[in-house]
Amino acid sequence: MTAGRIDPMPEPAPTTLLGRYRHAFRTGEMETAPVPPTRRRLVVVVITLVVGTAVSAWALRIPPGDTMFYPATALLAAVWLVGAFASGPIRVGCEPYRPGRPILSSVLAATALALVFCVGAVVVAQIEPLREPV
């Protein structure tokens, strides 16, 4: 407390799922302590996995050039997106050797994966039987 000014009361922790998302987005503060998964989260994850797998199998069986391919893949993306938000916020951990969030290592890992996919595309383009289907 400074002279002449009263510090505001700390904001109470939000209790709803949407409230926790808003609080984390607005303040950048998230709980980082590891917690065991709740029964609700496990149920949501299993349901999302089963529904996502079924929609993915359906989307992959659609013949090339069919107009249903785009709605099927949009539905697949929606299933995974809804499942991700319904399972609740995940705890963002930290690296044991560096304080704060693991931003640099995450960017480097994503870059490495992108390079692997690009190199794989170049290799596949050089193999005659695989060149046409891809």
Side-chain angles (χ1 to χ4, degrees):
M1 187 163 133
T2 59
R5 290 181 48 187
I6 298 175
D7 289 336
M9 295 279 297
E11 189 176 313
T15 56
T16 65
L17 180 65
L18 187 58
R20 287 192 305 246
Y21 273 116
R22 272 198 231 128
H23 177 75
F25 184 73
R26 188 175 59 247
T27 64
E29 299 172 5
M30 289 187 75
E31 299 173 25
T32 58
V35 293
T38 62
R39 182 176 194 83
R40 177 187 169 280
R41 178 173 286 194
L42 291 174
V43 169
V44 168
V45 167
V46 168
I47 289 172
T48 302
L49 182 64
V50 170
V51 173
T53 302
V55 173
S56 181
W58 170 61
L60 290 173
R61 287 195 174 105
I62 295 174
D66 194 335
T67 57
M68 278 304 295
F69 179 75
Y70 291 110
T73 53
L75 177 64
L76 179 60
V79 165
W80 290 119
L81 187 68
V82 167
F85 279 105
S87 70
I90 58 171
R91 306 299 185 248
V92 179
C94 62
E95 297 168 335
Y97 52 86
R98 183 180 300 137
R101 293 187 179 170
I103 295 172
L104 180 63
S105 61
S106 300
V107 170
L108 291 175
T111 304
L113 285 172
L115 285 173
V116 166
F117 279 105
C118 289
V119 168
V122 169
V123 169
V124 166
Q126 302 303 319
I127 301 172
E128 188 63 38
L130 299 179
R131 185 178 306 158
E132 189 63 33
V134 178

